[in-house]
C-alpha cells in the first residue's frame, strides 16, 4: 500500500507535462535567438568578402575561404598584440583580484573604524571621475605613459567588484573568524587561510569580470601607448585593421567585384573584417567562461545577498 502511494506521488500530471514541454520549447527558442548572431558572424567571417556583400549569409558560408583570417593575421604586430593582451589579462585579473579581496576583507570587518568612509569613497568613483585630460596628466606625472603598468594600476580596484566581494565576505559566519582569533591567528593568516579558500565562487566571478574588461580594452592603448608598438594590444590592432578596411573606396569595391567575377578574389570588406574581428576577439573569453561558470552563478547570488 505504501509503495503504491509513493508511485502515485511521483506520477506526472497533465499540467506538469504541459509546463515542462512549454519550458523546453521556450528555452530552445531562446538559445536559437542567442546563438544565431554569433553563428552568423562565424559564417560571414568564413565566407568570401565580396560574396558577402550580396547578403543571404545565415548559418553557413556560401563561398568558404580563410582569406579574412589571413588578412587579419598577416600583420607581424598582431602576434605581439596577442601576447600583450594575454599578459595584461592575466596580470590585471590576478593583481586586481588580490587587491580587491584585501580591501573587501578590510571594509567587511565590523571593528574597522573607517569602514563607512572608505566604502563611500569607492562608491563615489562609480559616479564621478576626474575626466579625460586630468587623468592623462595624472598618468604622465606618475610616469606611467609608455609602460605596461598603465594598463594595470589605474583600474586596479573596481568599486562594483569591491561591493560584490565585501558582501560575500560579510555573509561568512562570524564564528569562523572568532575561533581563528582565539587560536591566535592574525588578519593576514585569516585572510589567506580562511577567507580566500571560502571565497572561491566570488573570486571566480570577479576574475571573469576583470579578465573580460582587460581583454576588451583598447582606448587606454590609444591614449597612452599608441606610439609604442611593443605595447599594443589585440583589440587596438583589430580596431586599426577595421579602420583601414573602412576606407575602401567605391573604385576598389568595383575592382573587387570584377576580380570576383573573373574567379580571383583577394579583397576584404568592412563587414567581413568586422565579423572576423568579432570571432577573434570573443573566442578566447568564450573558451575560458565554461571553466568559471560553475562558480559564476553562486558567486553572483551569494555576493548580492546583502
Amino acid at each position: 500500500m505504501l509503495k503504491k502511494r509513493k508511485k502515485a506521488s511521483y506520477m506526472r500530471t497533465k499540467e506538469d507535462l504541459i509546463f515542462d514541454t512549454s519550458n523546453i520549447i521556450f528555452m530552445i527558442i531562446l538559445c536559437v535567438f542567442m546563438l544565431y548572431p554569433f553563428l552568423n558572424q562565424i559564417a560571414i567571417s568564413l565566407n568570401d568578402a565580396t560574396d558577402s556583400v550580396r547578403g543571404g549569409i545565415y548559418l553557413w558560408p556560401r563561398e568558404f575561404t580563410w582569406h579574412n583570417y589571413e588578412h587579419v593575421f598577416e600583420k607581424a604586430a598582431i602576434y605581439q598584440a596577442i601576447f600583450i593582451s594575454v599578459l595584461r589579462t592575466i596580470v590585471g585579473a590576478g593583481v586586481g583580484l588580490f587587491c580587491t579581496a584585501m580591501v573587501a576583507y578590510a571594509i567587511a570587518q565590523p571593528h574597522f573604524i573607517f569602514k563607512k568612509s572608505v566604502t563611500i569613497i569607492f562608491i563615489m568613483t562609480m559616479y564621478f571621475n576626474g575626466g579625460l585630460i586630468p587623468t592623462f596628466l595624472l598618468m604622465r606625472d606618475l610616469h606611467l605613459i609608455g609602460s605596461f603598468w598603465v594598463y594595470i594600476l589605474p583600474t586596479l580596484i573596481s568599486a562594483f567588484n569591491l561591493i560584490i566581494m565585501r558582501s560575500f565576505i560579510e555573509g561568512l559566519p562570524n564564528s569562523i573568524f572568532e575561533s581563528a582569533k582565539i587560536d591566535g591567528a592574525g588578519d593576514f593568516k585569516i585572510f589567506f587561510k580562511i577567507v580566500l579558500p571560502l571565497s572561491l565562487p566570488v573570486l571566480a566571478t570577479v576574475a571573469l569580470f576583470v579578465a573580460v574588461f582587460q581583454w576588451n580594452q583598447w582606448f587606454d592603448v590609444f591614449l597612452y601607448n599608441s606610439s609604442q608598438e611593443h605595447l599594443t594590444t589585440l583589440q587596438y590592432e583589430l580596431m586599426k585593421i577595421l579602420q583601414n578596411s573602412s576606407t575602401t573606396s567605391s573604385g576598389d569595391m568595383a575592382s573587387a567585384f570584377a576580380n570576383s567575377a573573373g574567379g580571383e578574389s583577394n579583397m576584404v570588406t568592412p563587414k567581413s573584417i568586422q565579423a572576423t574581428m568579432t570571432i577573434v576577439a570573443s573566442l578566447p573569453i568564450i573558451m575560458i567562461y565554461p571553466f568559471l561558470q560553475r562558480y559564476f552563478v553562486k558567486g553572483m547570488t551569494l555576493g548580492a545577498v546583502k
Side-chain angles (χ1 to χ4, degrees):
M1 198 65 184
L2 183 61
K3 290 183 178 180
K4 289 184 178 180
R5 289 181 179 177
K6 287 185 177 180
K7 289 183 179 179
S9 63
Y10 288 113
M11 289 180 61
R12 293 163 56 86
T13 63
K14 185 178 180 180
E15 290 77 8
D16 292 336
L17 183 61
I18 294 175
F19 174 78
D20 292 342
T21 304
S22 303
N23 193 26
I24 292 173
I25 294 175
F26 173 76
M27 295 304 297
I28 291 175
I29 295 175
L30 184 62
C31 289
V32 170
F33 276 107
M34 295 181 66
L35 289 176
Y36 173 75
F38 185 73
L39 296 177
N40 177 254
Q41 292 298 299
I42 294 178
I44 295 176
S45 68
L46 293 174
N47 194 75
D48 180 73
T50 54
D51 179 71
S52 298
V53 177
R54 294 162 45 195
I57 306 296
Y58 300 107
L59 295 176
W60 194 257
R62 188 165 45 227
E63 295 185 13
F64 183 85
T65 180
W66 291 103
H67 180 68
N68 296 322
Y69 289 92
E70 292 173 357
H71 178 78
V72 171
F73 287 101
E74 69 183 358
K75 302 182 181 298
I78 203 73
Y79 299 98
Q80 176 67 14
I82 293 175
F83 171 75
I84 295 297
S85 292
V86 172
L87 183 63
R88 74 172 289 179
T89 300
I90 295 175
V91 175
V95 177
L97 189 64
F98 178 75
C99 294
T100 303
M102 291 193 69
V103 177
Y105 172 73
I107 63 176
Q109 303 306 307
H111 58 271
F112 182 46
I113 59 176
F114 298 110
K115 177 179 179 178
K116 290 185 178 180
S117 302
V118 174
T119 303
I120 292 174
I121 290 173
F122 274 102
I123 291 177
M124 288 180 62
T125 63
M126 298 176 62
Y127 303 98
F128 307 100
N129 61 73
L132 185 61
I133 295 178
T135 302
F136 180 86
L137 296 177
L138 176 63
M139 296 301 107
R140 184 197 63 183
D141 294 340
L142 294 175
H143 304 287
L144 292 177
I145 295 180
S147 69
F148 173 79
W149 293 104
V150 75
Y151 303 146
I152 309 298
L153 297 181
T155 57
L156 194 61
I157 298 177
S158 168
F160 177 76
N161 297 335
L162 180 65
I163 293 173
I164 292 178
M165 194 169 294
R166 184 208 63 181
S167 300
F168 185 93
I169 296 175
E170 287 179 343
L172 297 176
N174 291 328
S175 57
I176 300 177
F177 304 111
E178 293 174 358
S179 301
K181 291 179 180 178
I182 292 174
D183 292 337
D187 286 325
F188 282 100
K189 192 169 185 178
I190 293 175
F191 176 74
F192 287 105
K193 297 293 185 179
I194 298 177
V195 175
L196 291 184
L198 293 177
S199 302
L200 285 180
V202 73
L203 289 175
T205 302
V206 174
L208 182 63
F209 288 162
V210 179
V212 172
F213 172 80
Q214 291 288 355
W215 178 262
N216 290 331
Q217 279 291 88
W218 67 268
F219 192 63
D220 51 0
V221 185
F222 173 74
L223 287 178
Y224 308 124
N225 291 333
S226 57
S227 61
Q228 306 291 330
E229 293 186 0
H230 65 287
L231 292 175
T232 187
T233 62
L234 177 63
Q235 304 293 340
Y236 183 65
E237 290 299 319
L238 294 179
M239 184 272 297
K240 291 196 298 184
I241 294 174
L242 180 61
Q243 284 186 339
N244 292 335
S245 64
S246 299
T247 58
T248 303
S249 63
S250 59
D252 292 334
M253 291 300 297
S255 63
F257 281 114
N259 291 335
S260 178
E264 179 184 356
S265 178
N266 291 319
M267 300 296 295
V268 294
T269 62
K271 184 178 181 181
S272 64
I273 290 300
Q274 185 177 12
T276 306
M277 288 169 48
T278 301
I279 303 305
V280 172
S282 60
L283 192 59
I285 294 297
I286 293 176
M287 295 174 63
I288 294 174
Y289 182 78
F291 297 98
L292 301 176
Q293 185 178 13
R294 64 189 183 117
Y295 298 107
F296 184 78
V297 176
K298 186 177 179 182
M300 283 298 295
T301 304
L302 296 179
V305 168
K306 296 188 178 181

